[in-house]
Amino acid sequence: MKSILITGCSSGIGYDTAIQMRAAGWRVFASARNSEDVTRLKSQGFETLQLDVNDSIQIENAFTEILTMTGGSLDAFFSNAGYGQVGAVEDISRDALREQFETNVFGAWECIRHAMSIFRQQGHGRILVNSSILGFAAMPWRGAYNSSKFALEGMCDTLRHETAGSGIDVVLVEPGPIATRFRPNALLKFQHYIDIDKSVHAANYHAQLNRLQQEGDAAPFTLSSATCAAVCVKALTTSRPKTRYLVTLPTIIFWYLKRILPTKALDAIQRYAVKSQGTS
């Protein structure tokens, strides 16, 4: 039976991918940061690991435990854990930026290094990284998150060169708006790090607060996390994966607009795309 480790399985894309990969006949190691989520996943029949990607010891212990349980093998790793820090570039402190990159980039990078050591020894493996439409199309008020996802895209593009012909596949999934707990989690970080009313961007920030607190879908063409997970399953199981999987209509549209429009024209469209969010 093939095996996979997935980070960030407490909810959303990670959780639904774990369910669907198990249904596809894979041995799924579902990990989460909080012990309560690990307990819940275990009660649902998953093999579980407590794994905070900000903790190097937990990362090392998780991979060691998996190798013990599988007899030394792992077939795939899905780097899914992450969150979004909202705020203008000029309002993002070093601490906020460091925390964003610790989770979204450094934690993913360290996990991938551990996975790569296994894949190199066995001569095969697949790495799937959850990026975003914001990994190639920057939007206002999301500078830290944009930058973290741009960094992941650069890492994966480089690693793809370095693994060419090795039997190891490096794949990106790039979702647009997905119905997950992403907004509530982003709201907590926004309120923690941004002094909203003292910023020149206060009016825009209040619109962002409305968006993050809004019930239901906050953007057009939002898809369910289960729909995105189905794409992840395809990326993980097909014999010849694409290098990128674009999920949601906005991702597809902006992918092509970025290639045909002058930068200033694309900038204007991207600003327009977020202008009305949270104002209704």
Side-chain angles (χ1 to χ4, degrees):
M1 180 184 293
K2 290 187 175 181
S3 59
I4 181 171
L5 168 62
I6 305 174
T7 62
C9 290
S10 60
S11 63
I13 296 169
Y15 177 69
D16 282 311
T17 301
I19 290 174
Q20 294 183 30
M21 287 297 288
R22 183 172 63 178
W26 283 56
R27 185 177 184 182
V28 177
F29 297 100
S31 72
R33 177 171 58 89
N34 294 321
S35 58
E36 297 84 355
D37 293 320
V38 172
T39 300
R40 175 174 50 83
L41 289 165
K42 191 170 185 178
S43 71
Q44 296 172 0
F46 286 106
E47 293 184 80
T48 59
L49 297 160
Q50 185 164 359
L51 175 53
D52 182 346
V53 298
N54 292 344
D55 188 325
S56 294
I57 294 175
Q58 285 193 15
I59 291 173
E60 183 174 359
N61 289 344
F63 278 93
T64 299
E65 187 173 347
I66 287 170
L67 292 179
T68 299
M69 290 188 286
T70 64
S73 68
L74 181 68
D75 295 286
F77 170 63
F78 180 20
S79 178
N80 171 70
Y83 72 93
Q85 176 67 59
V86 177
V89 169
E90 65 198 275
D91 291 333
I92 295 291
S93 67
R94 190 183 188 110
D95 286 343
L97 186 62
R98 182 184 290 112
E99 189 170 335
Q100 179 77 104
F101 269 68
E102 282 289 350
T103 299
N104 287 17
V105 182
F106 304 151
W109 196 301
E110 187 169 359
C111 287
I112 287 170
R113 288 188 66 235
H114 281 274
M116 281 295 300
S117 68
I118 300 169
F119 297 162
R120 286 291 189 189
Q121 288 184 12
Q122 65 192 19
H124 68 88
R126 186 163 301 177
I127 295 167
L128 178 64
V129 174
N130 193 356
S131 180
S132 170
I133 182 176
L134 300 183
F136 62 83
M139 305 283 183
W141 329 126
R142 296 156 175 81
Y145 185 67
N146 289 334
S147 299
S148 72
K149 293 301 185 179
F150 268 70
L152 284 179
E153 298 254 339
M155 177 194 66
C156 288
D157 285 345
T158 304
L159 185 57
R160 193 174 63 251
H161 289 303
E162 295 167 354
T163 56
S166 68
I168 301 169
D169 299 304
V170 182
V171 185
L172 284 156
V173 59
E174 297 169 322
I178 303 292
T180 67
R181 285 194 51 80
F182 187 87
R183 275 185 287 142
N185 292 335
L187 176 61
L188 293 174
K189 296 294 185 181
F190 185 35
Q191 293 173 322
H192 178 72
Y193 279 114
I194 303 299
D195 192 342
I196 295 171
D197 291 320
K198 289 186 178 180
S199 172
V200 67
H201 301 289
N204 291 300
Y205 284 164
H206 282 289
Q208 291 301 306
L209 276 175
N210 291 339
R211 177 182 69 86
L212 294 172
Q213 294 170 332
Q214 181 178 327
E215 295 291 335
D217 297 339
F221 309 108
T222 297
L223 296 179
S224 69
S225 57
T227 300
C228 186
V231 178
C232 294
V233 171
K234 182 177 181 181
L236 287 161
T237 60
T238 187
S239 59
R240 295 173 62 89
K242 300 176 184 178
T243 56
R244 282 173 166 81
Y245 287 82
L246 310 178
V247 185
T248 75
L249 183 60
T251 305
I252 295 169
I253 290 173
F254 277 103
W255 177 262
Y256 289 103
L257 288 178
K258 189 175 178 70
R259 279 148 184 76
I260 62 176
L261 290 180
T263 299
K264 287 187 176 180
L266 181 62
D267 284 351
I269 292 173
Q270 289 173 175
R271 288 194 296 271
Y272 178 80
V274 301
K275 184 177 180 180
S276 64
Q277 289 183 2
T279 59
S280 58

